[in-house]
């Protein structure tokens, strides 16, 4: 995980997420790109001058966030983008090659009832980059127990698992699998990718109306340090395909959540 992208918004607590990312980068000798997105309409008069001022203010705000963390020798670079955040992520990924996004569940949205705010939800919904969602105030600790939950064991490419394998190897973690049989499952769904089975220690099969309800049922008994789910068109965060927010009443995790994408493949 060479390049890590950390999107920040106007939330004054952004430095918590950046500090976690720095501690994470220390473990993997990564470079951090701190990303801020701003939007200046092309209809605005004196566009060039205004864009320049907004970009300058954005960089100044980012530098203030950087000054609040202990960088620990990690290289932190600034990546600003004028436009939509999803487009910005794609452009930056194309230019730099981003291996992982680390972000808070809620970036700009401070509504306490939300687990995923609008911006963070949009990132999960529209990007194919592996994303680590880190609750506010979380400090990095060894991930000894990893719970990987899914409703279909089919993975088209083994490389989807690379971030999970890297974490397992780094922390000497135990990976437990939770297969959730949801209504309408097929026999094909029950076929589990060989590479996924090879890195796991235990498989639990349960039946629930949805994947995240299955996770809620088993989360307390397994007490994972990390929850891993897959980003599918109708996967774990199913409601994100209907809207870009997730209520805490729908789902909330006290531990980091790693979202791996299967959409590219």
């Amino acid at each position: 995980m060479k390049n890590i992208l950390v999107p920040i918004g106007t939330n004054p607590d952004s430095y918590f997420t950046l500090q976690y990312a720095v501690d994470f980068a220390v473990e993997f000798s990564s470079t951090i790109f701190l990303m801020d997105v701003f939007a200046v309409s092309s209809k605005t008069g004196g566009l060039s001058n205004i864009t320049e001022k907004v970009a300058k203010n954005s960089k100044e705000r980012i530098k203030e966030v950087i000054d609040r963390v202990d960088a620990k020798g990690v290289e932190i670079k600034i990546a600003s983008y004028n436009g939509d955040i999803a487009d910005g992520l794609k452009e930056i990924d194309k230019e730099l090659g981003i291996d992982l996004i680390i972000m808070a569940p809620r970036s700009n949205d401070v509504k306490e009832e939300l687990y995923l705010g609008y911006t963070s939800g949009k990132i999960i919904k529209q990007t194919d980059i592996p994303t680590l969602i880190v609750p506010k105030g979380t400090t990095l600790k060894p991930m000894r127990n990893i719970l990987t939950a899914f409703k279909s064991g089919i993975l088209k490419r083994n490389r989807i698992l690379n971030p999970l394998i890297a974490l397992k190897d780094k922390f000497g973690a135990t990976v437990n699998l939770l297969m959730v049989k949801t209504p309408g499952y097929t026999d094909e769904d029950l076929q589990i990718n060989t590479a996924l089975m090879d890195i796991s220690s235990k498989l639990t099969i349960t039946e629930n109306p949805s994947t995240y309800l299955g996770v809620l049922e088993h989360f307390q008994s397994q007490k994972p340090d990390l929850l891993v789910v897959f980003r599918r068109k109708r996967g774990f965060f199913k409601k994100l395909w209907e809207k870009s927010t997730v209520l805490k009443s729908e789902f909330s995790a006290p531990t980091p959540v790693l979202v791996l994408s299967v959409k590219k493949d």
Side-chain angles (χ1 to χ4, degrees):
M1 287 182 273
K2 182 180 178 182
N3 293 331
I4 296 174
L5 186 71
V6 182
I8 66 166
T10 56
N11 193 319
D13 295 329
S14 297
Y15 70 94
F16 282 115
T17 306
L18 179 57
Q19 186 64 66
Y20 185 97
V22 165
D23 296 341
F24 190 96
V26 169
E27 296 291 336
F28 291 92
S29 301
S30 310
T31 297
I32 291 178
F33 292 89
L34 197 54
M35 178 186 180
D36 189 34
V37 174
F38 58 90
V40 177
S41 171
S42 59
K43 296 180 181 180
T44 307
L47 178 62
S48 178
N49 186 42
I50 292 175
T51 301
E52 193 175 302
K53 287 182 178 179
V54 173
K56 181 180 178 182
N57 290 337
S58 173
K59 286 186 176 181
E60 289 176 353
R61 182 163 52 82
I62 289 178
K63 287 178 180 178
E64 289 177 0
V65 174
I66 294 174
D67 288 342
R68 297 190 68 179
V69 305
D70 178 2
K72 300 181 178 180
V74 172
E75 186 176 12
I76 302 175
K77 299 182 179 180
I78 297 175
S80 297
Y81 184 80
N82 179 18
D84 179 77
I85 190 165
D87 293 334
L89 286 169
K90 291 175 184 176
E91 286 295 322
I92 292 174
D93 183 31
K94 184 178 179 180
E95 179 182 349
L96 302 172
I98 299 301
D99 300 300
L100 181 71
I101 296 172
I102 295 181
M103 67 176 191
R106 293 172 292 131
S107 48
N108 291 339
D109 201 319
V110 295
K111 293 182 179 178
E112 288 301 322
E113 69 270 19
L114 294 179
Y115 171 67
L116 285 182
Y118 178 79
T119 303
S120 51
K122 193 172 184 180
I123 291 172
I124 291 293
K125 179 179 178 179
Q126 297 190 20
T127 182
D128 292 315
I129 304 169
T131 302
L132 184 61
I133 306 171
V134 182
K136 175 186 170 183
T138 302
T139 56
L140 181 66
K141 64 178 183 178
M143 298 175 181
R144 306 295 190 195
N145 182 15
I146 299 176
L147 176 62
T148 301
F150 53 91
K151 69 176 182 178
S152 172
I154 299 171
L155 300 175
K156 293 182 180 180
R157 300 288 186 274
N158 289 345
R159 67 173 179 267
I160 292 166
L161 298 173
N162 285 351
L164 173 57
I165 293 171
L167 289 168
K168 177 183 183 299
D169 292 344
K170 172 60 68 175
F171 296 112
T174 296
V175 177
N176 295 318
L177 306 183
L178 177 65
M179 170 176 273
V180 184
K181 294 162 65 174
T182 60
Y185 75 88
T186 66
D187 289 339
E188 186 180 24
D189 289 330
L190 301 181
Q191 300 174 17
I192 302 177
N193 177 274
T194 303
L196 183 57
M197 286 296 295
D198 287 345
I199 64 172
S200 66
S201 300
K202 178 182 177 183
L203 169 64
T204 301
I205 300 176
T206 184
E207 291 194 41
N208 291 89
S210 68
T211 309
Y212 65 72
L213 286 177
V215 169
L216 292 178
E217 179 184 338
H218 292 269
F219 194 89
Q220 290 303 320
S221 61
Q222 300 216 17
K223 294 182 172 57
D225 301 309
L226 175 70
L227 171 63
V228 180
V229 298
F230 295 100
R231 181 191 291 111
R232 302 179 189 268
K233 188 172 182 180
R234 304 300 292 179
F236 185 77
F237 290 116
K238 178 178 178 180
K239 291 184 180 297
L240 285 179
W241 302 99
E242 300 157 5
K243 58 182 181 177
S244 289
T245 58
V246 171
L247 296 172
K248 285 184 178 178
S249 59
E250 296 170 334
F251 175 78
S252 181
T255 60
V257 177
L258 176 62
V259 185
L260 302 177
S261 177
V262 300
K263 292 198 296 177
K264 271 185 179 177
D265 305 293

